[in-house]
Amino acid sequence: MNILVSHCFLGEPCRYDGASRLDRQIIELHRAGHNLIPVCPEVLGGLDVPRSPAEIQPDGRVLTQDGQDVTAAYRAGAERAVAIAREKGCTVAILKARSPSCGCGEIYDGTFTHTVKTGWGVAARLLDEAGLEVMDEEHIQASLYNL
């Protein structure tokens, strides 16, 4: 199975702070025979590494902590991630929890206080709408290891 994954899980330092989030359980999916297709929607949208933290605002815009509107970059990166998922035949996406791009079910509330609310990141929502099964690294289905 081809699985779209947040590139930071594979050790790529593409997070807003220039770090990665190497995740051994996701690497184990590769060992179980799955093809991991890495994407970073924020980088695909043209944003730099490192970059100012961003959160989705109540009105739907994505703003950086210093007030820059990066909604268009987030949307462009999400659209590219969907195109890659389709091109590679991905049916599942495992994305970074609470990210304004990748959060699925929970995101930060836009106040930059680490307050979590129910919601979806820009790419996670588009991937879900495109028909992928979207989950974060905290909710990987055990069945993926047994396919």
Side-chain angles (χ1 to χ4, degrees), residues 130-141:
L132 276 77
E133 181 178 359
V134 180
M135 62 192 78
D136 62 36
E137 76 279 15
E138 296 170 0
H139 299 96
I140 295 176
Q141 294 180 4

Side-chain angles (χ1 to χ4, degrees), residues 46-113:
L47 296 174
D48 292 328
V49 178
R51 56 191 168 274
S52 183
E55 293 186 7
I56 298 174
Q57 302 302 301
D59 65 4
R61 291 180 304 145
V62 184
L63 298 182
T64 64
Q65 193 167 22
D66 55 11
Q68 181 183 5
D69 187 333
V70 290
T71 307
Y74 273 71
R75 180 72 184 189
E79 289 170 355
R80 290 204 50 213
V82 169
I84 291 167
R86 286 182 174 148
E87 174 188 321
K88 300 293 185 178
C90 298
T91 56
V92 173
I94 304 172
L95 306 174
K96 182 69 190 104
R98 294 176 291 284
S99 157
S101 284
C102 298
C104 46
E106 289 184 336
I107 56 172
Y108 293 111
D109 72 351
T111 63
F112 298 95
T113 60

Side-chain angles (χ1 to χ4, degrees), residues 1-2 27-36 144-145 147:
M1 173 186 297
N2 291 341
I27 292 169
E28 186 60 34
L29 289 170
H30 178 69
R31 290 189 189 118
H34 299 293
N35 295 317
L36 304 181
L144 290 176
Y145 295 99
L147 292 177

